[in-house]
Amino acid sequence: MKSVGEFWFRIGIGVVLLLLWVVTALAGHPAGGAVFLVLGLAQLAWTVIAAKRTIRRAERAHSSR
């Protein structure tokens, strides 16, 4: 992750996918809703993992100075 803006953009994508899950499930298409649920949760998990890696890299760089 290169910036805070990219972090929030990725969070936004995850939230939009979860909102699509809710809308699709309410419309009566549970299979399509399940796809959006899985994609949204995967996007959010990927974002958190990438953010943790970036923080660890920054901490290591800072501690080696």
Side-chain angles (χ1 to χ4, degrees), residues 12-55:
I13 290 173
V15 169
V16 167
L17 286 168
L18 291 177
L19 287 175
L20 283 172
W21 164 61
V22 169
V23 170
T24 307
L26 289 175
H29 303 286
V35 170
F36 287 124
L37 174 64
V38 170
L39 289 175
L41 292 176
Q43 174 67 27
L44 292 174
W46 177 48
T47 301
V48 169
I49 291 168
K52 284 183 179 182
R53 286 183 181 171
T54 302
I55 291 169

